[in-house]
Amino acid sequence: HKAKRVRGFNLNLNNSSEERYVFLNVLKFVLAGLVVVFVVIELRRMCEIGLVQHFRKAASFVDFLSLGICAVALASFAYLQGMPIMDKFTFSALTDLATRQETYVALEDIASAFEDQGYIVGINLLVVFVRALFLVAPLQQNMGIIFKVIDVAGNNLAAFAAMFLVCQTSFVIMAYFTFGAGFEEMSTPEMAFYRC
């Protein structure tokens, strides 16, 4: 049978010899600049009308929350790019028995960090979606129905959220006591909550 050639990959996103990495880094700096500009605009509004008055509108709170999460997401990008494995990963380190374990652990760490970053980006997308609903609702009367339904169902949604947290807490306690001694990722209640 024919041997297939496998295309390798490069974790070094700081490599300026590849055009796509340069473009990604420029894009990240532009995004960071935009976040700084919008944070300055929000802070200026807060100073002009006062902190309490500014946050009376739910949309202002959502804007501020989204900007904060964007800043955390960009900081997590910087953290990921600064991880040592990003600069010095080679496939030969995985095939060499002397460095295999260390390289595998480093790859596990970076995979976990990427998973955490995915959660941050997902939460940010949810917040941006809610903000988009706030912006579209006054323009389209049918969109206002969504907010009316949520307002009417608020008590039931709160009861569901409370019941969900009770069930989640029982899973966390069970996982912590069952797996905590032998599984590092569930060795504390906080980590068990995160993994459940």
Side-chain angles (χ1 to χ4, degrees), residues 41-138:
I41 289 171
E42 284 292 315
L43 291 175
R44 189 176 296 158
R45 270 193 225 152
M46 282 184 216
C47 291
E48 286 174 1
I49 63 173
L51 187 68
V52 175
Q53 195 68 19
H54 178 71
F55 284 116
R56 284 203 173 179
K57 287 194 240 173
S60 297
F61 177 73
V62 172
D63 285 345
F64 196 74
L65 181 65
S66 179
L67 287 171
I69 296 173
C70 281
V72 170
L74 288 171
S76 70
F77 274 121
Y79 170 74
L80 287 171
Q81 279 188 307
M83 291 180 89
I85 190 74
M86 294 295 269
D87 290 330
K88 59 184 182 180
F89 173 76
T90 60
F91 281 105
S92 60
L94 282 174
T95 57
D96 183 11
L97 291 177
T99 58
R100 177 183 292 170
Q101 184 176 3
E102 179 185 331
T103 304
Y104 184 76
V105 168
L107 287 174
E108 282 280 323
D109 289 344
I110 200 166
S112 177
F114 272 116
E115 181 183 3
D116 295 342
Q117 185 189 37
Y119 291 140
I120 292 168
V121 171
I123 290 169
N124 194 25
L125 287 174
L126 176 67
V127 170
V128 168
F129 174 74
V130 169
R131 177 63 176 134
L133 284 178
F134 278 118
L135 290 172
V136 171

Side-chain angles (χ1 to χ4, degrees), residues 115-116 119 123 161-180 183-196:
E115 181 183 3
D116 295 342
Y119 291 140
I123 290 169
M163 198 64 219
F164 177 80
L165 284 175
V166 167
C167 291
Q168 178 72 13
T169 303
S170 66
F171 283 124
V172 167
I173 290 170
M174 190 256 336
Y176 171 67
F177 285 121
T178 305
F179 305 113
F183 187 51
E184 183 182 353
E185 292 187 352
M186 293 189 180
S187 59
T188 65
E190 296 84 14
M191 291 176 73
F193 182 83
Y194 179 70
R195 291 295 167 198
C196 286

